């Protein structure tokens, strides 16, 4: 088997930063130690670089099948690879929606041929597919996704009896999009009364308000407590919601967990004036105060995971008027460099970034042999240069949609190399055409 020896790097893993070499044997990490020598290994000199476990993004929308004019598994996983993301969990609101086992498995078959990194897909719940949901295999499917607020794909689950049945019938992790539909509709009617059909984008967080988010997420948490379900609330966007979560329980024992996405850590409602619909997400980007409270919750461990909700749309689609422009934006290529820029600014430590983007998704979803740099684990590894700035512009964006909401931003760090299952899949911006991604397995 092929061996690769990474020499002279600085390892960031399990709360520690230390100098070490790392020996890869085939797909796995064979040894982590100081001053390893190996006669038959290819040597990679990582002097001046930090060695991290591959990033696991627990929420992406890679748009295949049915929406491939926006992106596809090959294009978006290639962008993920360039950004140091070695595993992704994709959501069910494609066309057709992944709400039967047959449709779900078709997505896995596509990924087996086209994914540049490791992959899993969530099974989608609806008002009337409980039987299909309960057939989901916990060993090789990440979990169940429920839209408790409408978003791209029309998969709203609003039947309370159905919700309770799903929550009480499965041991699988249930991930939720939480926004209260009634509140959103009332707010939208008020906005239409004020602006007609020409609603400005800055009204988005007024329409999809703090109240809409809090009502829905607090209901989901109440239901999880009542039924004992394992609940993961996606993309927390308000400070008020952060108080619903605990930080006094080890993650492996938590039944109720939370995720934050890059755009809610980066933007605020002041940015709608410049960015307009290009920062239109569901849930909406809220106030600077919300952003600061989310940061506090991230740092004190009420929020467990950082992800992207990577959801590309074409430039033309996003350029439409507010009511026609879809919600979502591309982010998976830049999430790690963005977080490393926050490290440089002193907002978060390097160890905490690795915890929230690699270790915790692996713990939360019980992903087998990934998310850590450990002997015997799969060699999903990222080398980063914390002192190599990059500017995001159209020429270096790999998203199929060809744009980014952070174009023009200078990020303070660069992903130099990405290993997927022991293979050097990206080096110095050059991506191999060979695809090394594997289906994620779960210790359940």
């Amino acid at each position: 088997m092929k061996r690769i020896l990474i020499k002279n790097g600085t390892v960031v893993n399990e709360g520690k930063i230390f100098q070490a070499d790392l020996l890869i044997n085939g797909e796995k990490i064979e040894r982590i130690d100081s001053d390893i020598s190996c006669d038959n290994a290819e040597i990679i000199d990582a002097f001046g670089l930090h060695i991290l476990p591959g990033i696991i993004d627990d929420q992406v929308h890679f748009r295949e099948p049915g929406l491939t004019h926006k992106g596809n598994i090959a294009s978006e996983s290639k962008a993920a690879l360039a950004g140091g993301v070695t595993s992704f969990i994709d959501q069910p609101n494609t066309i057709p929606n992944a709400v039967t086992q047959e449709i779900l498995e078709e997505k896995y078959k596509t990924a087996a041929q086209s994914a540049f990194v490791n992959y899993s897909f969530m099974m989608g719940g609806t008002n009337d597919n409980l039987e299909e949901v309960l057939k989901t295999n916990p060993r090789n499917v990440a979990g169940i996704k429920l839209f408790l607020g409408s978003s791209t794909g029309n998969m709203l689950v609003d039947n309370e009896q159905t919700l309770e049945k799903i929550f009480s019938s499965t041991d699988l992790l249930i991930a939720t999009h939480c926004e209260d539909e009634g509140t959103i509709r009332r707010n939208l009617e008020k906005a239409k009364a004020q602006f007609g059909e020409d609603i400005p984008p800055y009204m988005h967080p007024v329409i999809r308000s703090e109240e809409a988010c809090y009502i829905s997420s607090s209901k989901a948490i109440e239901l999880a407590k009542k039924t004992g379900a394992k609940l993961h609330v996606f993309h927390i966007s308000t400070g008020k919601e952060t108080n619903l979560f605990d930080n006094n329980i080890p993650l492996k024992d938590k039944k109720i967990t939370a995720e934050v996405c890059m755009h809610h850590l980066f933007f605020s409602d002041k940015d709608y004036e410049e960015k307009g619909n290009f920062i239109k997400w569901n849930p909406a980007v809220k106030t600077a105060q919300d952003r600061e409270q989310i940061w506090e919750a991230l740092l004190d461990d009420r929020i467990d995971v950082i992800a992207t909700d990577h959801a590309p749309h074409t430039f033309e689609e996003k350029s439409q008027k507010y009511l026609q422009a879809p919600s979502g934006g591309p982010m998976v290529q830049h999430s790690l460099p963005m977080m490393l820029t926050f490290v440089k600014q002193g907002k978060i430590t390097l160890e905490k970034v690795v915890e929230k983007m690699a270790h915790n998704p692996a713990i939360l979803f019980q992903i087998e042999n990934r998310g850590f740099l450990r002997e015997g684990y799969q060699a999903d590894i990222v080398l980063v240069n914390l002192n190599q700035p990059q500017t995001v512009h159209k020429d270096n964006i790999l998203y199929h949609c060809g744009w980014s909401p952070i174009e023009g931003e200078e990020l303070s760090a660069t992903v130099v190399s990405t290993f997927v299952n022991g293979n050097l899949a990206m080096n110095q911006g050059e991506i191999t055409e060979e695809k090394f991604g594997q289906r994620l397995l779960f210790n359940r």
Side-chain angles (χ1 to χ4, degrees):
M1 270 194 281
K2 185 179 177 184
R3 286 183 167 180
I4 299 172
L5 179 56
I6 304 172
K7 297 281 292 179
N8 307 316
T10 303
V11 172
V12 187
N13 190 53
E14 301 190 65
K16 295 176 183 171
I17 300 178
F18 55 96
Q19 298 298 123
D21 298 343
L22 195 149
L23 180 62
I24 300 169
N25 186 356
E27 293 185 356
K28 298 186 184 299
I29 298 169
E30 182 175 305
R31 196 172 159 210
I32 304 169
D33 211 337
S34 56
D35 202 23
I36 300 171
S37 59
C38 183
D39 292 339
N40 59 350
E42 176 190 342
I43 307 290
I44 291 178
D45 187 0
F47 181 77
L49 305 180
H50 284 73
I51 305 170
L52 318 181
I55 301 309
I56 301 170
D57 193 330
D58 81 348
Q59 189 191 180
V60 304
H61 303 261
F62 282 178
R63 302 307 193 197
E64 191 169 0
L67 298 163
T68 50
H69 67 287
K70 302 171 189 279
N72 56 63
I73 291 169
S75 65
E76 307 313 286
S77 66
K78 187 182 276 192
L81 180 65
V85 175
T86 56
S87 299
F88 67 84
I89 299 174
D90 187 90
Q91 304 308 302
N93 53 334
T94 42
I95 299 174
N97 298 153
V99 294
T100 70
Q101 295 301 322
E102 188 181 0
I103 295 168
L104 183 64
E105 282 306 313
E106 280 301 315
K107 291 180 77 167
Y108 279 105
K109 284 178 190 170
T110 302
Q113 302 300 316
S114 56
F116 282 84
V117 298
N118 307 307
Y119 52 88
S120 191
F121 296 89
M122 300 288 272
M123 175 65 180
T126 70
N127 281 328
D128 53 13
N129 78 331
L130 178 63
E131 201 173 304
E132 284 293 308
V133 166
L134 296 182
K135 292 177 190 170
T136 306
N137 184 346
R139 174 71 175 143
N140 62 11
V141 177
I144 312 299
K145 171 68 177 287
L146 301 178
F147 287 88
L148 308 188
S150 61
S151 195
T152 306
N154 194 28
M155 286 184 63
L156 178 66
V157 184
D158 56 2
N159 182 311
E160 295 202 5
Q161 285 179 309
T162 300
L163 269 178
E164 185 155 345
K165 274 185 186 170
I166 295 172
F167 270 67
S168 57
S169 302
T170 182
D171 293 328
L172 273 165
L173 178 144
I174 299 169
T176 53
H177 175 131
C178 288
E179 291 182 285
D180 182 65
E181 197 63 20
T183 304
I184 292 168
R185 284 180 187 148
R186 286 191 297 275
N187 291 340
L188 180 58
E189 289 312 309
K190 284 182 197 167
K192 282 182 176 175
Q194 185 178 354
F195 296 101
E197 293 297 304
D198 205 11
I199 297 171
Y202 68 75
M203 287 297 292
H204 193 53
V206 179
I207 295 166
R208 301 186 86 101
S209 63
E210 175 195 79
E211 183 191 18
C213 294
Y214 187 81
I215 288 171
S216 183
S217 50
S218 57
K219 267 188 191 171
I221 288 167
E222 192 180 319
L223 188 54
K225 286 177 177 174
K226 178 182 174 184
T227 59
K230 187 170 183 180
L231 173 67
H232 185 47
V233 182
F234 275 157
H235 43 45
I236 294 296
S237 66
T238 73
K240 189 175 182 181
E241 286 172 287
T242 63
N243 296 314
L244 294 168
F245 301 94
D246 292 329
N247 60 358
N248 56 358
I249 308 167
L251 179 57
K252 66 180 178 58
D253 300 324
K254 275 190 185 184
K255 278 292 195 97
I256 296 167
T257 52
E259 169 216 87
V260 64
C261 292
M262 289 306 309
H263 42 283
H264 294 124
L265 293 173
F266 191 82
F267 295 108
S268 79
D269 59 357
K270 298 282 186 277
D271 295 305
Y272 285 105
E273 190 174 347
E274 181 194 344
K275 302 280 185 180
N277 294 325
F278 291 92
I279 61 162
K280 182 186 178 189
W281 276 277
N282 299 341
V285 169
K286 309 281 197 307
T287 67
Q289 184 181 4
D290 284 305
R291 182 177 60 190
E292 286 315 304
Q293 288 176 296
I294 290 167
W295 268 103
E296 284 172 25
L298 178 69
L299 295 173
D300 73 16
D301 298 334
R302 282 173 289 155
I303 293 177
D304 306 287
V305 170
I306 299 168
T308 63
D309 193 14
H310 173 88
H313 298 283
T314 68
F315 189 86
E316 292 71 27
E317 287 169 334
K318 293 293 274 186
S319 299
Q320 297 175 100
K321 287 187 174 182
Y322 170 78
L323 283 172
Q324 286 74 47
S327 293
M331 198 61 91
V332 75
Q333 185 181 341
H334 300 107
S335 55
L336 177 57
M338 287 169 79
M339 288 310 303
L340 297 177
T341 303
F342 285 129
V343 170
K344 189 101 168 180
Q345 294 168 358
K347 280 192 79 77
I348 190 168
T349 65
L350 194 48
E351 301 96 313
K352 204 76 167 169
V353 168
V354 168
E355 177 189 308
K356 302 291 185 178
M357 299 185 84
H359 301 339
N360 283 4
I363 294 167
L364 183 62
F365 284 86
Q366 298 170 279
I367 300 171
E368 185 171 274
N369 292 343
R370 301 187 194 274
F372 296 84
L373 299 177
R374 289 176 178 168
E375 293 173 1
Y377 269 49
Q378 293 297 114
D380 296 337
I381 299 163
V382 183
L383 307 185
V384 298
N385 189 334
L386 299 183
N387 299 303
Q388 185 181 338
Q390 57 167 309
T391 301
V392 179
H393 55 79
K394 284 200 175 352
D395 293 346
N396 56 27
I397 290 168
L398 296 185
Y399 310 130
H400 182 70
C401 66
W403 64 273
S404 165
I406 60 163
E407 279 175 53
E409 291 287 338
E410 183 176 90
L411 306 177
S412 65
T414 295
V415 176
V416 176
S417 307
T418 307
F419 294 81
V420 179
N421 296 305
N423 300 280
L424 182 55
M426 190 284 291
N427 191 43
Q428 303 286 357
E430 294 294 317
I431 294 175
T432 174
E433 283 307 308
E434 200 172 342
K435 300 174 181 74
F436 301 111
Q438 297 178 0
R439 184 170 182 164
L440 296 177
L441 295 175
F442 304 90
N443 289 318
R444 309 175 181 138

